[in-house]
């Protein structure tokens, strides 16, 4: 079997225009600084938002979530929407990112998974053999119809719609876990330091691996597509564990599935000055400095960069050809303000080497971060000359 599990014209979603009510189609978010930067236009100040900006660093989040399990909160449209909006109100960031979790589509596809506090996603039954893969992939990802409000993705669709109705011109970013990260959780049964079982399956049984990756791509692709159809103005694919891979393994055994996942959204367009535009797609990975070009080649419009590599070096590796997002070191949020400010200014200066730059963290907001620091950081960036 070929290692190419990317787009198949017979089973990938067709190109389609977003509905007339979509914020991009109506022009509500199309001119937002974030969207313009994602499309390669350099802004006077880089737009800014933070990965995990909606979450444990906010006291209002902790109060709202008290007594509610993580996945239950994700699938409660009213709660998910309110959590998404909290950091926009508090910090004045240039984008919201929908509050959910990368394993939500796995749960909706019938996988017994839970998020254990202090540990993360844990699978009741890991997927480690050919028969395990066959059992899992017998569940047709097409059942996750991304435009069916009465289907499994209905709570996600409703949550996005509620959020967009209140955001006005601030864009909402939809997100999903990249196929490798989902597959790693499925095979390992939970978090892992080296993802050895997943990488072993990749080589020991490449046919089963490809089937697993294809299934993960379509499940997370449907999740992404549902968010965009419901009103998200951009989409980000997270590959939390791709940094454990060699470039060769990533290119041969992982990148084609990421391409396939992004294809679920790639064909969604809206009319803009100069013709039809696609919804901007961001690809971010942790520890992926050696994989940046291969990640770009999956079809991403923007590459997210973690804190391990300077933005100017990332841009050089990418031929200064693609907008970048990142990459303030989350550890700096706990440093004295003078140290953080100098670091942020350095990140912005290095980001000037890319066609456009969106300021973000090089990973998520740590739970013990002082929210006032994030608000002050946003004010700093918005006040730059």
């Amino acid at each position: 079997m070929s290692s190419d599990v990317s787009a198949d014209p017979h089973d990938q979603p067709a190109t389609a225009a977003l509905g007339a009510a979509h914020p991009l189609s109506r022009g509500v978010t199309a001119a937002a600084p974030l969207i313009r930067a994602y499309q390669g236009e350099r802004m006077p100040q880089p737009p800014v938002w933070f990965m995990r900006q909606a979450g444990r660093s906010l006291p209002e989040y902790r109060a709202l979530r008290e007594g509610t399990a993580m996945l239950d909160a994700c699938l409660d449209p009213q709660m998910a929407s309110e959590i998404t909006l909290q950091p926009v109100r508090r910090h004045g960031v240039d984008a919201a990112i929908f509050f959910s979790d990368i394993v939500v589509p796995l749960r909706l596809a019938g996988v017994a998974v839970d998020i254990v506090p202090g540990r993360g996603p844990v699978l009741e039954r890991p997927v480690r053999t050919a028969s395990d893969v066959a059992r899992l992939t017998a569940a047709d990802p097409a059942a996750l119809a991304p435009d069916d409000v009465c289907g499994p993705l209905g709570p996600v669709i409703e949550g996005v719609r509620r959020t967009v109705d209140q955001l006005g011109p601030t864009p909402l970013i939809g997100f999903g876990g990249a196929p490798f990260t989902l597959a790693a959780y499925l095979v390992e049964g939970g978090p892992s330091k080296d993802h050895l079982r997943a990488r072993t399956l990749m080589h020991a049984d490449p046919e089963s691996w490809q089937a697993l990756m294809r299934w993960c791509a379509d499940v997370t692709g449907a999740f992404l597509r549902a968010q965009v159809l419901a009103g998200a103005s951009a989409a980000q694919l997270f590959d939390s564990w791709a940094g454990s891979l060699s470039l060769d393994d990533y290119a041969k055994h992982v990148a084609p599935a990421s391409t396939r996942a992004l294809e679920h959204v790639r064909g969604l367009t809206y009319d803009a000055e100069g013709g039809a535009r696609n919804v901007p797609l961001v690809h971010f990975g942790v520890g992926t400095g050696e994989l940046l070009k291969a990640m770009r080649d999956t079809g991403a419009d923007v590459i997210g960069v973690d804190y391990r590599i300077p933005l100017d070096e990332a841009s050089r590796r990418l031929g200064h050809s693609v907008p970048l997002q990142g990459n303030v070191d989350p550890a700096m949020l706990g440093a004295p303000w003078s140290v953080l400010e100098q670091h942020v200014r350095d990140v912005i200066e290095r980001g000037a080497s890319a066609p456009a730059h969106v300021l973000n963290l090089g990973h998520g907001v740590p739970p013990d971060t002082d929210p006032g620091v994030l608000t002050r950081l946003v004010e700093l960036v918005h006040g730059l000359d």
Side-chain angles (χ1 to χ4, degrees):
M1 179 183 290
S2 168
S3 63
D4 186 0
V5 295
S6 56
D8 181 334
H10 299 293
D11 61 9
Q12 289 295 298
T15 298
L18 295 171
H22 194 281
L24 287 171
S25 301
R26 292 188 290 124
V28 174
T29 58
L34 178 93
I35 300 303
R36 292 164 67 186
Y38 277 170
Q39 292 169 340
E41 182 179 348
R42 178 155 289 280
M43 297 288 97
Q45 300 86 28
V48 55
W49 67 278
F50 307 107
M51 284 183 277
R52 294 183 186 159
Q53 64 187 17
R56 292 172 291 175
S57 66
L58 300 183
E60 55 265 44
Y61 167 86
R62 294 193 296 270
L64 183 61
R65 266 282 318 277
E66 187 174 0
T68 304
M70 176 64 177
L71 291 182
D72 291 339
C74 294
L75 293 172
D76 180 327
Q78 184 173 353
M79 184 176 291
S81 177
E82 171 59 23
I83 292 171
T84 302
L85 293 165
Q86 286 175 347
V88 180
R89 299 192 196 107
R90 178 183 275 265
H91 303 311
V93 285
D94 293 302
I97 185 161
F98 188 59
F99 176 77
S100 192
D101 192 272
I102 62 171
V103 300
V104 163
L106 297 182
R107 164 75 74 88
L108 296 178
V111 176
V113 58
D114 199 6
I115 297 179
V116 178
R119 186 178 177 194
V122 176
L123 282 293
E124 182 179 290
R125 186 176 177 183
V127 178
R128 293 177 179 168
T129 66
S131 59
D132 290 337
V133 172
R135 170 184 52 81
L136 176 74
T137 58
D140 188 355
L144 295 178
D147 56 354
D148 182 3
V149 295
C150 296
L153 285 166
V156 175
I157 295 169
E158 183 183 347
V160 170
R161 288 178 176 175
R162 283 175 174 264
T163 306
V164 169
D165 285 346
Q166 299 182 64
L167 278 174
T170 301
L172 177 67
I173 303 169
F175 82 100
F180 176 74
T181 289
L182 294 185
Y185 275 124
L186 287 165
V187 176
E188 302 290 343
S192 167
K193 292 182 178 180
D194 55 14
H195 313 99
L196 188 61
R197 288 190 178 96
R199 292 188 291 117
T200 297
L201 180 63
M202 178 190 299
H203 296 286
D205 188 351
E207 186 170 345
S208 293
W209 176 257
Q210 290 154 27
L212 176 61
M213 290 294 280
R214 185 181 299 110
W215 187 87
C216 288
D218 289 342
V219 166
T220 204
F223 184 51
L224 280 172
R225 188 177 178 92
Q227 294 170 74
V228 172
L229 289 174
S233 294
Q236 177 161 300
L237 194 67
F238 284 80
D239 216 339
S240 305
W241 306 133
S244 67
L245 298 168
S246 69
L247 175 58
D248 188 60
D249 279 351
Y250 179 83
K252 289 181 179 178
H253 303 291
V254 172
S258 293
T259 297
R260 185 184 180 98
L262 290 172
E263 285 294 332
H264 283 260
V265 184
R266 167 61 60 190
L268 297 177
T269 63
Y270 65 98
D271 289 331
E273 186 176 346
R277 283 189 175 272
N278 69 283
V279 175
L281 301 176
V282 186
H283 198 1
F284 170 76
V286 179
T288 51
E290 301 303 319
L291 311 180
L292 294 177
K293 291 175 68 175
M295 291 173 66
R296 176 200 60 195
D297 293 345
T298 63
D301 302 299
V302 182
I303 293 297
V305 183
D306 81 352
Y307 58 89
R308 295 170 177 85
I309 177 174
L311 285 185
D312 51 352
E313 172 59 16
S315 186
R316 186 194 68 78
R317 294 184 185 190
L318 289 162
H320 305 292
S321 65
V322 61
L324 297 182
Q325 180 173 277
N327 68 340
V328 173
D329 187 341
M332 292 288 190
L333 297 176
W337 173 254
S338 60
V339 175
L340 174 60
E341 179 179 359
Q342 182 179 2
H343 175 59
V344 170
R345 289 180 180 273
D346 180 68
V347 168
I348 291 172
E349 183 177 347
R350 293 176 185 277
S353 63
H357 176 214
V358 172
L359 190 75
N360 206 302
L361 300 182
H363 204 183
V365 176
D368 60 353
T369 299
D370 177 358
V373 171
L374 296 177
T375 303
R376 190 176 180 185
L377 197 163
V378 173
E379 292 170 349
L380 168 68
V381 176
H382 286 170
L384 293 173
D385 293 331

